[in-house]
Amino acid sequence: MKSGSLLIKAENLSFSYNGKQSILHDVSLPVCDKDYLVIMGPNGGGKTTLLKCILGLLKPDSGKVRYYGVSSREFGYVPQFTTFDRQMPIRVYDFIETGMINRYHPLKNRIPDRTGRVDKQIERFSLDGIAFSAISEISGGQLQRALLARALIQDPRILFLDEPTTFIDSESRGNLSAILRELNQTIAIVMITHDTSAIDDHVKNIACVNRTLYYHGRDEHLEESLEKVYGCPIELIGHGLPHRVLKEHE
């Protein structure tokens, strides 16, 4: 594991729905400053539940999440495409602006964006041409950039992404990879995915989760751990994204 100051630590988390269906069992996991952590595992393996526990959206049955000098106001979050309503009647510009929700007052009109944060994000993610298009009219790759722009508008210390490569093409995946690599120079990134092709060379740590934690790190044991988690042989190939995800073997 790459060294760095500790930001978040999940300690012995267990979670079940209605006290019956066990989703997580005794999972411990650290997130460090400028970490790039990918949490992998099959659909239904508890990855998103773990993320929601870390974000404070779910309360674990046992165990706890500790925060070290960081608060939820410093979290950026990109949700799964499948949980996002593409028919939302809102323009891209206004959608990105909703990322400043804590600058709004319920008894007043919205606070003017005097520092031009939205315009900066529009430029940063090359969304100029669609800034005033409806969310329902843009492509998957464009929506992904809009979601990132919204999540980053408050300059978070940690960016959380839930299945960000789903429903985008290989070119958009390449663009996303480059964006995340640049962002990781200054902030920590935690990505949830079931897709082994999402593991790029610049990923620093990988956690294999299927109800419990099978592995955490980045070394020659990764492939073996992934096969245990997925229950079948895993071939680590980037679909359209050439990269090496394991150390070369002698």
Side-chain angles (χ1 to χ4, degrees), residues 1-245:
M1 183 178 68
K2 296 278 186 178
S3 61
S5 59
L6 192 61
L7 296 179
I8 300 174
K9 188 176 183 181
E11 296 181 345
N12 308 109
L13 295 187
S14 292
F15 182 90
S16 61
Y17 288 105
N18 302 319
K20 298 178 181 178
Q21 184 184 3
S22 178
I23 305 299
L24 294 174
H25 176 68
D26 197 29
V27 174
S28 297
L29 189 66
V31 179
C32 296
D33 185 35
K34 297 183 184 177
D35 198 355
Y36 192 145
L37 169 65
V38 171
I39 302 176
M40 303 196 67
N43 289 327
K47 303 183 304 298
T48 296
T49 299
L50 173 59
L51 179 60
K52 289 181 177 179
C53 288
I54 291 173
L55 292 171
L57 301 176
L58 289 176
K59 183 179 179 180
D61 298 337
S62 60
K64 60 182 63 178
V65 179
R66 299 184 186 275
Y67 305 96
Y68 298 86
V70 66
S71 72
S72 60
R73 285 179 174 269
E74 297 173 288
F75 296 166
Y77 175 60
V78 177
Q80 290 187 34
F81 270 42
T82 53
T83 64
F84 182 80
D85 184 6
R86 290 293 299 269
Q87 300 307 311
M88 183 185 296
I90 190 171
R91 302 178 304 176
V92 171
Y93 189 98
D94 300 317
F95 173 70
I96 294 171
E97 190 178 40
T98 64
M100 298 191 295
I101 195 70
N102 63 0
R103 301 179 69 202
Y104 286 52
H105 192 287
L107 302 180
K108 300 178 182 178
N109 293 325
R110 70 189 189 199
I111 297 173
D113 181 18
R114 293 193 176 94
T115 58
R117 285 175 177 259
V118 178
D119 289 332
K120 290 175 183 176
Q121 293 297 92
I122 291 287
E123 181 180 359
R124 180 184 193 181
F125 290 99
S126 303
L127 295 168
D128 311 67
I130 60 164
F132 298 101
S133 297
I135 286 287
S136 59
E137 297 173 349
I138 64 178
S139 69
Q142 291 169 334
L143 175 59
Q144 187 63 270
R145 298 204 307 274
L147 287 165
L148 278 167
R150 180 182 184 276
L152 294 166
I153 199 166
Q154 296 273 46
D155 299 320
R157 291 182 65 189
I158 309 176
L159 176 64
F160 297 90
L161 305 100
D162 196 352
E163 300 283 4
T165 60
T166 306
F167 304 126
I168 60 175
D169 58 29
S170 60
E171 181 181 358
S172 297
R173 288 187 182 205
N175 292 336
L176 175 63
S177 176
I179 289 169
L180 294 180
R181 185 169 193 167
E182 180 181 352
L183 288 171
N184 190 225
Q185 300 299 311
T186 56
I187 68 174
I189 293 173
V190 178
M191 179 194 295
I192 300 289
T193 186
H194 68 278
D195 183 3
T196 56
S197 70
I199 307 175
D200 284 328
D201 264 347
H202 50 278
V203 170
K204 296 172 182 174
N205 286 293
I206 298 166
C208 300
V209 175
N210 187 0
R211 199 174 77 88
T212 191
L213 180 69
Y214 281 79
Y215 170 90
H216 175 234
R218 182 71 190 269
D219 62 23
E220 65 272 11
H221 301 296
L222 171 59
E223 190 166 7
E224 177 184 348
S225 300
L226 284 172
E227 291 185 6
K228 289 180 181 178
V229 168
Y230 284 89
C232 62
I234 297 295
E235 187 175 10
L236 297 172
I237 298 175
H239 301 287
L241 296 175
H243 58 266
R244 176 175 55 81
V245 296

